[in-house]
Amino acid sequence: MKYHAWFACTTEGCSETYPLNEVIYKCRKCGKDDKRSGLLEVRHDLGALRESRSPDQWKKLFDRRYLRNLYPYGSGVWGKKEWVCPNVTNENVVSIFEGGSNCFWAERFGKEIGLNDLWIKLCGNSHSGSFKDLGMTVLVSMVNQMIHEGTNLRAVVCASTGDTSASLAAYCATAGIPAVVILPKDRVSIPQLIQPIANGALTLALDTDFDGCMKIVTQISRDKRYYIANSFNSLRLEGQKTISIELSQQFDWEPVDWVIVPGGNLGNVSAIGKGFLMMKDLGLIDHLPRLVCAQAHNANPLFRLFQQGLPEGEFRPQKAKPTLANAIQIGDPVNLNKALRTLKKIPGGLVEECTENELANAAAWVDRFGLFNCPHTAVALSALLKLVNRGEIKSTDRVIVISTASGLKFPDFKIGYHTRQLTGVAPRHANEFLPLPPKFENVMDALEEHVGK
Ligand SMILES: *Cc1c(COP(=O)(O)O)cnc(C)c1O
Ligand SMILES: [Zn+2]
């Protein structure tokens, strides 16, 4: 095989490596009972990638494949296969043409806040409605490959706050692999709950929170017949990494100044950073953007650490409080160390936070400019507003906000806002619907009151 990737232990000084088709999530030497020790990451043979094609040839190859229908290369993830997971054969790839999401020039909203070059990358405009599809295609493809190689795997299992489970169920159903999803009862939205049910996953709703579900999944993970799809599994991060490659491609490989992404378990901020670093390493770009990780105040462990100057080894897990941004309600993020390393490697990285009131109003305000934001994207938008107000982001800077899920997954958030029923939120952009008798006069009165006579 020309290109090659493997798992490597992320502990300083440890040089253990493992094949990607082994059922393993932690280094056998460094992994302990706590959730962060001995985590693995995927590493690539960068020498082979550098020698086989020049930066220009890689760009041309990626561009030639982009959004075409040659399976699996038309996928935004698999079009970069050599950089993502070269170890999977094309026959074993499980793709539903994820990626290729639109990057929306928020021209009118940008003007409103004094920015000329503001973009929102709609990564949630994806098969299961969130950007989790980008990583899930890689993980389920590797599972499919292992099954074809004769590994005894019975099912893929995950705990989820709603998006991972929807994505896992969709990819497993595509491949005909059994999926088991473990959700905190009554804490995921109806669309998020119905997705794995519709795709035929065994859907278990437990009377606990996400961390409670995760504890049980950790126990299941000791049985190697079950493959775990949570984000301590670093295969997923390779797919998420393509966010940076794809957005650079969408700008014809021109420099980007800022990338803002919401963070919970912190896999994505790490993966996005990894994508930019890899492109710089291989000569596709020569400028790294400043990365901003945005958190909800109610679940802000990285923000707190950032305020102390990101000291090593000072981390104290917190009990996350409920937030409308339920996918990032995480007080003890598994990928903390990866995120810290990324923020240290890329100059100018920042962490921001926002209240429930700020995020709900940010979502509704930007919706008025044609978007339909999910609460997590709203956390990133709140961070954007703060950085603009503080003068850190300049009017000519090219800024990309990563939109992580479709607003359609969160009807309660939208309806609750516009009917003024969200606790802790004072709506500034509520737009209540008006029930009327079915009479022409009533309709005209309402219409003229709205637009003027
Ligand atoms: C998973 C998720 C996030 C957070 O990603 P992490 O890698 O856990 O930080 C943000 N938004 C949405 C919609 C998600 O599903
Ligand atoms: Zn190790």
Side-chain angles (χ1 to χ4, degrees), residues 137-208:
T137 181
V138 178
L139 182 139
V140 174
S141 297
M142 187 49 82
V143 170
N144 199 32
Q145 174 131 332
M146 286 191 268
I147 291 171
H148 281 98
E149 290 167 352
T151 309
N152 179 19
L153 287 175
R154 298 287 177 81
V156 191
V157 181
C158 78
S160 176
T161 51
D163 290 331
T164 300
S165 43
S167 186
L168 177 66
Y171 281 88
C172 282
T174 303
I177 297 169
V180 180
V181 311
I182 300 184
L183 303 170
K185 192 166 172 286
D186 301 328
R187 299 199 196 198
V188 303
S189 73
I190 296 281
Q192 287 173 320
L193 177 65
I194 203 66
Q195 285 181 291
I197 290 175
N199 285 136
L202 175 63
T203 305
L204 307 174
L206 308 192
D207 201 359
T208 177

Side-chain angles (χ1 to χ4, degrees), residues 313-324:
E314 295 280 304
F315 179 69
R316 299 273 169 280
Q318 76 187 60
K319 178 124 184 77
K321 292 191 220 101
T323 165
L324 293 161

Side-chain angles (χ1 to χ4, degrees), residues 314-365:
E314 295 280 304
F315 179 69
R316 299 273 169 280
Q318 76 187 60
K319 178 124 184 77
K321 292 191 220 101
T323 165
L324 293 161
N326 68 332
I328 56 174
Q329 186 184 327
I330 292 164
D332 192 8
V334 66
N335 292 303
L336 176 84
N337 297 330
K338 288 184 185 176
L340 290 179
R341 255 188 300 144
T342 306
L343 288 171
K344 284 179 180 166
K345 266 193 211 155
I346 300 185
L350 296 174
V351 186
E352 261 303 335
E353 68 159 3
C354 67
T355 63
E356 299 299 291
N357 188 43
E358 286 168 335
L359 79 86
N361 278 304
W365 189 21

Side-chain angles (χ1 to χ4, degrees), residues 131-132 163 263-268 327-328 376 404-405:
F131 72 160
K132 297 282 198 287
D163 290 331
N265 251 327
L266 306 179
N268 277 283
I328 56 174
H376 319 89
T404 55

Side-chain angles (χ1 to χ4, degrees), residues 52-127:
S52 64
R53 282 189 176 86
S54 70
D56 257 2
Q57 287 171 325
W58 280 119
K59 291 178 188 174
K60 286 214 177 80
L61 180 71
F62 294 162
D63 287 346
R64 194 165 66 233
R65 293 169 171 172
Y66 190 59
L67 298 178
R68 310 308 297 253
N69 68 358
L70 179 65
Y71 192 91
Y73 299 112
S75 148
V77 173
W78 296 103
K80 284 96 186 161
K81 184 178 181 218
E82 296 83 353
W83 289 42
V84 171
C85 192
N87 311 37
V88 175
T89 64
N90 284 355
E91 302 78 70
N92 287 325
V93 167
V94 182
S95 168
I96 24 190
F97 275 41
E98 47 291 314
S101 61
N102 40 330
C103 201
F104 173 98
W105 182 27
E107 183 187 12
R108 200 164 72 82
F109 182 69
K111 280 214 181 93
E112 181 94 355
I113 60 169
L115 297 185
N116 301 324
D117 210 0
L118 172 65
W119 300 75
I120 303 182
K121 175 129 176 83
L122 295 163
C123 296
N125 284 4
S126 182
H127 185 80

Side-chain angles (χ1 to χ4, degrees), residues 7 20 40-42 77 84-85 130-142 156-161 163-165 167-168 210 214 227-243 265 267-268 271-272 274 327 334-335 338:
F7 286 130
L20 296 186
L40 305 176
E41 68 178 3
V42 176
V77 173
V84 171
C85 192
S130 91
F131 72 160
K132 297 282 198 287
D133 291 350
L134 300 170
M136 204 54 80
T137 181
V138 178
L139 182 139
V140 174
S141 297
M142 187 49 82
V156 191
V157 181
C158 78
S160 176
T161 51
D163 290 331
T164 300
S165 43
S167 186
L168 177 66
F210 172 76
M214 201 55 227
Y227 195 73
I228 310 297
N230 281 95
S231 74
F232 56 70
N233 187 322
S234 57
L235 279 172
R236 276 176 49 201
L237 302 189
E238 289 311 287
Q240 302 298 133
K241 184 179 83 181
T242 61
I243 292 171
N265 251 327
N268 277 283
I272 289 170
K274 191 177 182 192
V334 66
N335 292 303
K338 288 184 185 176

